[in-house]
Amino acid sequence: MTENSAGPASPESGEGSNEATLVRSQERSDKVEADLEKHPGNWRLLTGDRPTGKLHIGHYFGSLANRVRLQEMGIESFLLIADYQVIYDRDGVGDIQDNVMSAVADYLAIGIDPARTTIFTHSALPGLNQLLLPFLSLVTDAELRRNPTVKDELASSDRPMSGLMLTFPVHQAADILFCKANVVPVGQDQLPHIEQARVIARRFDERYGRVDPEHPVFPEPEALLSATPHVLGLDGTKMSKSRGNTIEIGMSADQTAKLIKKAKTDADRHISYDPANRPEVSNLVLLTALCEGADPYQVASEIGDGGSGTLKKRLTASMNDFFEPIRARRQELIADQGHLREVLRAGNRRAGEIADQTLDEVRHAMRMVY
Ligand code: TRP
């Protein structure tokens, strides 16, 4: 999966969304968060990941754990493995099918429950993909070229802009609107997409009207910017597969120990928690605290003059303890590909039925029922 998935937002992301917009988005999101707790039944949630590699602990602490939390609050959830997104994204992500099945195993291992969270893929849902056509008629190319996330994608891609890359925010709107999701947990970098989906929902209503006079066909989705910890890679830069600085959820205890041993630290022997000035050491402290359910300042002061050797030993032990049950479950799940496939097929069936129903409503609104 990619670094800028719906998870940890990096400080440099969200370009184009100025401070004031961000503050407004956060305030709005805080209201949503409060209502989710009060009225979980009023919400339908959608999240998505691109299957470009194995899920890692940055995904776990940045977004996956939050999804489980929201699921446990009783919010009906949809979890998209965005396999069509990969085809405009980049070359050489490896075996997509393998990445998809591995993601399903990770989800189940960390506590996503397929009875409450529908796990599905783009490519299995003709109804979702067909929404793209009417939606494309509602946006201009200038609007898409201005989208900061499209610009970022283009900058980080090794390909020229394809038609699909230019229009991917519209596809993403279809991802959200096909099931009428009204809440989407995202990092800041994905805010322009939520805005695009809101605009499309509104314009569809203006142009084609309603089937039910009381309600537009599509609700306007809200972004949920939960405060999730911002974990860095083992070299102190953004955690991403392409930088080779990740620890995958499915790695063994030995692999984890080796990677932590090589993690970057600094020359100051005294351990402190100071993310701004000591990003590498602070990140190791933060990871330790997250795995222990402890406070990072407390962890740092306990290690103190023990130095980076002590810190690394403690992180290794804590991380391996924390992920041990998840990894054991993952092993069992991976060994039963038939079961994983059945979970995905059931999710695709369910999501597909919803997509077809929505497409029917769209045809009614557009007066294309024959
Ligand atoms: N674009 C998201 C990413 O890069 C993945 C994604 C696809 C998504 N469709 C979505 C996220 C819909 C939220 C809602 O990781």
Side-chain angles (χ1 to χ4, degrees):
M1 309 273 159
T2 46
E3 39 286 4
N4 59 344
S5 71
S10 65
E12 72 269 27
S13 65
E15 182 221 331
S17 49
N18 63 37
E19 229 12 68
T21 313
L22 256 179
V23 170
R24 264 199 308 278
S25 304
Q26 188 63 56
E27 283 169 1
R28 223 187 146 99
S29 163
D30 292 345
K31 286 207 187 101
V32 172
E33 177 80 51
D35 198 70
L36 286 169
E37 228 160 285
K38 266 191 244 134
H39 309 112
N42 290 351
W43 296 93
R44 181 177 266 189
L45 177 151
L46 182 125
T47 54
D49 291 313
R50 329 181 201 188
T52 54
K54 301 279 182 287
L55 287 164
H56 54 64
I57 57 167
H59 294 120
Y60 181 79
F61 289 114
S63 62
L64 301 176
N66 193 39
R67 292 178 191 168
V68 176
R69 178 184 73 92
L70 293 159
Q71 170 193 277
E72 295 307 313
M73 281 165 61
I75 299 153
E76 186 190 16
S77 303
F78 286 75
L79 174 42
L80 163 65
I81 306 177
D83 56 354
Y84 271 172
Q85 191 175 334
V86 174
I87 62 177
Y88 66 75
D89 222 8
R90 65 198 71 197
D91 298 313
V93 293
D95 184 340
I96 292 183
Q97 191 145 315
D98 196 46
N99 290 343
V100 169
M101 298 319 288
S102 165
V104 177
D106 285 327
Y107 296 150
L108 301 185
I110 63 155
I112 296 285
D113 170 11
R116 290 177 287 165
T117 297
T118 302
I119 304 172
F120 69 101
T121 52
H122 272 148
S123 61
L125 269 61
L128 183 161
N129 293 306
Q130 191 172 326
L131 290 177
L132 203 56
L133 283 173
F135 285 3
L136 279 170
S137 76
L138 300 169
V139 296
T140 65
D141 83 307
E143 219 174 334
L144 293 169
R145 284 177 207 283
R146 274 199 305 271
N147 183 309
T149 312
V150 171
K151 286 195 211 157
D152 284 354
E153 284 295 312
L154 183 63
S156 64
S157 171
D158 44 13
R159 295 177 175 178
M161 178 93 86
S162 69
L164 195 57
M165 185 184 285
L166 181 65
T167 55
F168 93 90
V170 184
H171 196 219
Q172 196 150 326
D175 295 345
I176 298 167
L177 297 178
F178 92 91
C179 67
K180 306 190 181 190
N182 51 7
V183 60
V184 187
V186 286
Q188 288 169 14
D189 62 318
Q190 301 279 310
L191 282 174
H193 291 323
I194 309 300
E195 189 47 37
Q196 183 69 77
R198 294 170 64 83
V199 166
I200 288 173
R202 217 169 327 157
R203 288 186 190 157
F204 187 89
D205 191 44
E206 283 157 12
R207 177 142 350 152
Y208 297 111
R210 304 173 176 197
V211 183
D212 166 359
E214 298 292 315
H215 299 285
V217 175
F218 298 108
E220 290 185 33
E222 300 284 348
L224 184 69
L225 292 161
S226 302
T228 55
H230 187 210
V231 166
L232 299 172
L234 293 172
D235 56 359
T237 71
K238 185 167 166 171
M239 186 177 286
S240 81
K241 183 184 156 73
S242 56
R243 293 175 202 246
N245 62 3
T246 69
I247 298 177
E248 292 166 13
I249 292 172
M251 275 179 174
S252 70
D254 277 355
Q255 284 171 305
T256 303
K258 279 203 190 95
L259 288 169
I260 293 174
K261 204 172 242 168
K262 283 193 297 198
K264 201 169 158 199
T265 53
D266 58 36
D268 186 351
R269 181 166 172 81
H270 185 82
I271 298 304
S272 60
Y273 185 60
D274 179 4
N277 297 308
R278 303 184 71 187
E280 300 93 353
V281 163
S282 299
N283 187 52
L284 301 182
V285 172
L286 174 64
L287 282 170
T288 308
L290 287 169
C291 292
E292 295 177 3
D295 173 59
Y297 291 97
Q298 178 66 28
V299 169
S301 78
E302 281 164 20
I303 296 170
D305 290 328
S308 57
T310 308
L311 170 59
K312 287 181 174 182
K313 275 203 201 95
R314 178 150 160 189
L315 171 57
T316 303
S318 301
M319 186 169 283
N320 283 338
D321 272 0
F322 183 86
F323 283 102
E324 201 271 326
I326 291 177
R327 287 167 170 171
R329 269 197 301 277
R330 190 180 188 284
Q331 282 284 316
E332 279 171 34
L333 287 158
I334 282 287
D336 191 351
Q337 290 283 316
H339 172 66
L340 291 179
R341 213 162 277 277
E342 198 31 62
V343 167
L344 190 53
R345 286 209 182 114
N348 281 336
R349 252 194 318 273
R350 177 168 151 65
E353 279 165 18
I354 293 172
D356 291 345
Q357 272 165 25
T358 302
L359 189 58
D360 261 353
E361 273 182 64
V362 164
R363 290 189 181 116
H364 267 95
M366 295 176 76
R367 313 205 140 275
M368 292 183 180
V369 183
Y370 313 114

